[in-house]
Amino acid sequence: MKKILKYKTTQRENLLNYLKQNKKEHITAEQIIKHFKSIGNPIGKSTVYRYLDSLVCENIIRKYINQERGSACFQYIENNETCTNHYHMKCTKCGDLIHLNCEEISELQNHIFKEHGFELDICKTVLYGTCSKCLKKGDFV
Amino acid sequence: MKKILKYKTTQRENLLNYLKQNKKEHITAEQIIKHFKSIGNPIGKSTVYRYLDSLVCENIIRKYINQERGSACFQYIENNETCTNHYHMKCTKCGDLIHLNCEEISELQNHIFKEHGFELDICKTVLYGTCSKCLKKGDFV
DNA sequence: ATAATTGCAAACACTTTGCACCTGT
DNA sequence: ACAGGTGCAAAGTGTTTGCAATTAT
């Protein structure tokens, strides 16, 4: 379905480096395009989308769909990241992404598999809610 | 931000009934439009989207973003549905939606709140993975 | 040399908006 | 009568695709 990319190009190298440097963030295509435009080194929209697709296929980055806007964001996958007990929680107020390494989640995963026969895909699941910072600011917001 | 709807119209009545009749499903705007066209009772696109928005605001229906396509789907909320310990799991293979009423999840929610200071929003969170039917068909798929 | 890649512009899918006409009260 | 609602068509997002020019090998 997706193309295998054979040549090494500066655009791709830059783009992948950018994702690596922001591995803690969920980056949108728009952010990438703006970033490279702003540093006077623009990369074409189609190139960005095509390369992102291919990186997703190669399992080098992960793709998420933003629950608010329905648009995609991407994140570099660490080599050493097992991804097995690592969930992401996204604050719907401030948009912050929280990385959750937690025993309890693995337990839930086991429970859901054993009792409900459903195999949870941690990589595809994002937990939504309100982060502690925003809770402190006031529930009413 | 959203308009309050004052008059009772046939379009809205029909649309809400349709959602009520399909309360177990996640329905897209497209499905709604097609349905009413097919029964020779079409409702305009804008009317559909506007009414869905307003129903979401009034907490009469819930909106989900499809993780594959990034498009929205909607679901009628039962009056008696507390929504407190009711999660949705969506199979990424067959698209089936599974309703999960489960103690363990409430425990996780408590844990995440106490230990990580994050208030999980169950309504906004969908767990993704593979359902039992698809697992039986073969892991390789 | 030549196969792959780029980037524009045009097409896409889904959703929102402006506006003249229609409907519920 | 008139505020409110409908539905078309047009505009807006975010994403994908066709293609001629460009670049990596």
Side-chain angles (χ1 to χ4, degrees), chain B residues 7-8 45-46 49-50 53 69 71-72:
Chain B
Y7 296 172
K8 186 190 259 186
K45 223 187 324 200
S46 22
Y49 278 108
R50 273 190 287 239
D53 269 358
R69 317 194 307 152
S71 57

Side-chain angles (χ1 to χ4, degrees), chain A residues 12-107:
Chain A
R12 290 190 199 153
E13 208 177 345
N14 293 340
L15 175 25
L16 186 54
N17 278 336
Y18 182 63
L19 287 170
K20 279 182 186 170
Q21 282 155 25
N22 292 285
K23 55 180 70 155
K24 291 279 177 201
E25 307 299 326
H26 283 185
I27 307 282
T28 65
E30 206 195 351
Q31 277 179 285
I32 293 166
I33 292 161
K34 274 191 183 156
H35 168 76
F36 286 102
K37 184 180 263 175
S38 79
I39 63 168
N41 210 357
I43 306 181
K45 224 191 315 205
S46 22
T47 305
V48 169
Y49 279 107
R50 274 190 287 241
Y51 189 40
L52 287 171
D53 270 357
S54 112
L55 287 170
V56 169
C57 282
E58 294 179 87
N59 254 291
I60 292 168
I61 65 172
R62 257 200 296 278
K63 178 178 184 172
Y64 296 98
I65 303 290
N66 183 307
Q67 205 69 5
E68 308 294 299
R69 318 195 307 150
S71 57
C73 44
F74 303 86
Q75 185 181 32
Y76 182 72
I77 303 172
E78 289 278 21
N79 287 336
N80 60 352
E81 194 184 324
T82 59
C83 184
T84 307
N85 64 344
H86 184 155
Y87 270 91
H88 291 126
M89 307 190 297
K90 186 141 184 146
C91 179
T92 52
K93 302 275 190 300
C94 67
D96 252 22
L97 183 69
I98 295 143
H99 301 258
L100 182 65
N101 272 288
C102 176
E103 272 284 300
E104 307 266 331
I105 297 239
S106 319
E107 280 173 31

Side-chain angles (χ1 to χ4, degrees), chain B residues 1-53:
Chain B
M1 169 190 179
K2 305 285 177 175
K3 284 248 295 260
I4 299 153
L5 305 169
K6 296 191 174 171
Y7 296 172
K8 186 190 259 186
T9 69
T10 22
Q11 287 94 326
R12 289 190 198 154
E13 209 176 347
N14 292 340
L15 175 25
L16 186 54
N17 278 336
Y18 181 64
L19 287 170
K20 279 182 186 170
Q21 282 154 26
N22 291 284
K23 55 180 70 156
K24 290 279 177 200
E25 306 297 327
H26 283 185
I27 307 283
T28 64
E30 207 195 350
Q31 278 179 284
I32 292 167
I33 292 160
K34 273 192 184 157
H35 168 77
F36 285 103
K37 184 180 265 176
S38 78
I39 62 168
N41 210 356
I43 306 180
K45 223 187 324 200
S46 22
T47 305
V48 169
Y49 278 108
R50 273 190 287 239
Y51 189 40
L52 287 172
D53 269 358

Side-chain angles (χ1 to χ4, degrees), chain A residues 110-121:
Chain A
N110 280 330
H111 168 81
I112 284 179
F113 185 63
K114 280 183 196 152
E115 302 303 320
H116 307 279
F118 189 90
E119 190 173 58
L120 239 178
D121 186 339

